[in-house]
Amino acid sequence: MQPMIAHPAEALAGIVKVPGDKSISHRALLLAASAIGETPIHGLLESEDVLATAAALRALGVEIVRDDDGWRVSGRGVGGLSEADRVLDLGNSGTGVRLLMGLVASQPILTLFCGDASLSRRPMMRVIEPLGRMGAQVWARGGGRLPLCVRGSTEPLPIDYELPVASAQVKSAILLAGLCAPGWTTVTEPLPTRDHSERLLRHFGATVHAEPLPGGGRRITLEGQPELAASPVLVPGDISSAAFPMTAALLVPGSNVILSNVGMNPHRVGLLQTLQEMGARITAIGSREEGGEPVCDLGIEAGPLRGVDVPESRVPSMIDEFPILAVAAACASGTTTMRGLKELRVKESDRLAAIVEGLEACGISVRAGEDWLEIDGAGGPPPGGGVVRTCFDHRIAMSFLILGLAARQPVRIDDGAAIATSFPSFPIVMTELGAKIHGSNELSGD
């Protein structure tokens, strides 16, 4: 356990270099491993989750080297993985395990997966079912949970699969499995999700088509058995990580912060859109494209926020940002309503329950149902002063530390250890901006 405390802050100021995008980092490693030749990767997020994916790929026979210039991956080509001689431990990484399941599902090897207690509670059936249709055999613990074993197919089949729930991880797992299948593999999603996999597949030479559908869905089609070629990857800053210093700068009076090199993938900007509807002063600076992804710097200036209704159609584009949006809503004027949040029940924790519990501990009025949340904002600094149970969820931990900067009384969290899974430099980054976030010897005091 690593208890931490955040004290009410004075104006924050400075330039933040946001760590590399976690979603892109996982996918860059997996596709570089499936290409022919050596792929240099710059800006890779060196968090516990991403390092677990790199370690798993090494166990599957991929040479991955870290040096002064960044990372280098010597690819083995599509279908070229070797059978690992040990269980692949993905720690807390849902993205890592689901995407790796897809990659090995269409290769004739046996692969065993495990994870930490949090990951072992997360549902994998949503990935197991389509991979089974493609010919893989999967044995899992009750409820389709880790630990599990995947026997890849010797003759993988392309499928046309309609996602019951919009999920970039499930979509990506199917597309990765489709690399070894002849013909065309198609995934239809009810709402558009982040398209990093499609962009990187094209970057490495695969043929991928995406077409919008009536009603807002999207159909993605991949031509199987391509010859992927090594190609340099520059990983942009993670907008999900940028969300924490961004929200802090919006909420702490007098703050003025610049976030550099932030990825602006159109399927990831739901939080930005919502904050701007709340009145946030956010300015895009120097919009450009790097490594196939749109990027810009963001100028953030503190100011009052107002409550809004978040449309359910926006949920896939900000699924990871609802904890920090809840913090912004707690400081806004009026009520903020969020619907379509059922997916939050099966993240690293039951995030919806964790948000409610944390807000109540800090004196904030909140109401929730199975898939909705209503927060009555304080119209300024909320009371704070609570101790928040993080449930080993990195986004819950960081969100409530940000609340402590904007509240009237310090906010403590019971455990900040999970922060290392996605944003290891978070305490340093926030301290450099002027925040007071540090370890706490006791939950009842400093």
Side-chain angles (χ1 to χ4, degrees):
M1 299 284 283
Q2 297 179 14
M4 298 181 71
I5 184 170
H7 296 270
E10 298 179 356
L12 305 175
I15 300 174
V16 174
K17 184 177 183 352
V18 179
D21 189 285
K22 184 155 74 85
S23 295
I24 296 174
S25 293
H26 284 295
R27 290 161 171 81
L29 288 170
L30 293 166
L31 288 171
S34 304
I36 298 294
E38 183 178 273
T39 293
I41 304 176
H42 299 283
L44 189 86
L45 174 64
E46 296 182 10
S47 70
E48 290 179 355
D49 279 8
V50 175
L51 295 178
T53 293
L57 287 169
R58 289 189 182 103
L60 292 165
V62 181
E63 182 181 340
I64 302 176
V65 177
R66 170 73 164 96
D67 57 29
D68 292 341
D69 294 327
W71 292 74
R72 292 181 286 110
V73 181
S74 297
R76 296 174 62 95
V78 170
L81 297 179
S82 302
E83 189 166 281
D85 60 2
R86 60 177 177 83
V87 178
L88 304 186
D89 186 349
L90 274 297
N92 190 242
S93 179
T95 301
V97 71
R98 288 180 176 131
L99 269 57
L100 270 166
M101 285 172 63
L103 193 65
V104 303
S106 57
Q107 302 189 42
I109 56 177
L110 184 73
T111 310
L112 287 79
F113 294 93
C114 71
D116 67 11
S118 173
L119 186 59
S120 297
R121 288 192 295 269
R122 299 181 66 179
M124 298 296 156
M125 193 57 71
R126 60 183 61 185
V127 180
I128 293 171
E129 198 275 332
L131 296 183
R133 291 194 194 183
M134 301 181 79
Q137 293 177 286
V138 183
W139 296 271
R141 195 165 59 88
R145 289 173 165 79
L146 295 178
L148 60 76
C149 174
V150 178
R151 183 181 292 280
S153 174
T154 56
E155 297 181 356
L157 303 171
I159 61 170
D160 189 333
Y161 190 76
E162 186 169 337
L163 294 176
V165 177
S167 169
Q169 292 179 3
V170 179
K171 172 185 67 176
S172 298
I174 296 169
L175 294 176
L176 288 170
L179 286 173
C180 290
W184 296 87
T185 292
T186 300
V187 182
T188 301
E189 50 188 4
L191 292 170
T193 66
R194 58 190 67 181
D195 62 350
H196 303 308
S197 294
E198 297 95 306
R199 289 172 181 263
L200 277 171
L201 281 162
R202 294 189 193 102
H203 181 72
F204 282 99
T207 299
V208 182
H209 303 298
E211 65 174 304
L213 299 174
R218 203 166 53 130
R219 180 181 291 116
I220 302 95
T221 305
L222 165 75
E223 185 175 14
Q225 300 180 336
E227 184 169 305
L228 303 182
S231 185
V233 176
L234 178 61
V235 180
D238 195 327
I239 193 167
S240 294
S241 295
F244 300 105
M246 177 194 309
T247 304
L250 291 172
L251 300 181
V252 176
S255 297
N256 199 318
V257 170
I258 293 177
L259 308 176
S260 66
N261 198 48
V262 181
M264 297 294 289
N265 185 288
H267 301 293
R268 296 281 299 279
V269 293
L271 177 67
L272 277 179
Q273 294 171 349
T274 302
L275 289 173
Q276 288 172 328
E277 289 173 3
M278 296 173 78
R281 300 170 182 174
I282 303 174
T283 305
I285 305 167
S287 297
R288 54 200 183 274
E289 186 169 297
E290 294 180 1
E293 293 276 348
V295 173
C296 74
D297 301 336
L298 293 174
I300 315 297
E301 185 179 350
L305 301 179
R306 57 183 175 272
V308 296
D309 290 344
V310 183
E312 187 171 343
S313 60
R314 195 175 291 166
V315 170
S317 68
M318 56 182 296
I319 189 63
D320 290 328
E321 283 75 70
F322 280 100
I324 193 62
L325 175 61
V327 168
C331 301
S333 298
T335 299
T336 295
T337 303
M338 313 171 203
R339 301 191 184 278
L341 306 185
K342 189 175 182 179
E343 190 70 8
L344 295 186
R345 298 285 188 186
V346 292
K347 300 297 281 184
E348 282 83 338
S349 65
D350 180 342
R351 272 196 187 147
L352 192 50
I355 290 169
V356 171
E357 182 181 324
L359 291 176
E360 289 179 339
C362 293
I364 296 152
S365 175
V366 57
R367 297 167 296 282
E370 182 59 28
D371 68 345
W372 59 270
L373 183 64
E374 288 183 352
I375 300 168
D376 295 329
V387 177
V388 176
R389 191 167 61 94
T390 63
C391 307
F392 201 74
D393 188 318
H394 54 127
R395 300 199 193 279
I396 295 296
M398 288 185 281
S399 294
F400 282 96
L401 289 172
I402 296 300
L403 180 62
L405 303 180
R408 297 197 295 270
Q409 296 293 325
V411 173
R412 295 170 173 82
I413 61 171
D414 66 342
D415 189 4
I419 293 172
T421 65
S422 68
F423 197 163
S425 61
F426 170 78
I428 297 171
V429 166
M430 296 309 302
T431 298
E432 289 176 346
L433 290 177
K436 295 179 181 178
I437 295 177
H438 55 82
S440 176
N441 294 328
E442 299 178 7
L443 295 181
S444 59
D446 294 352

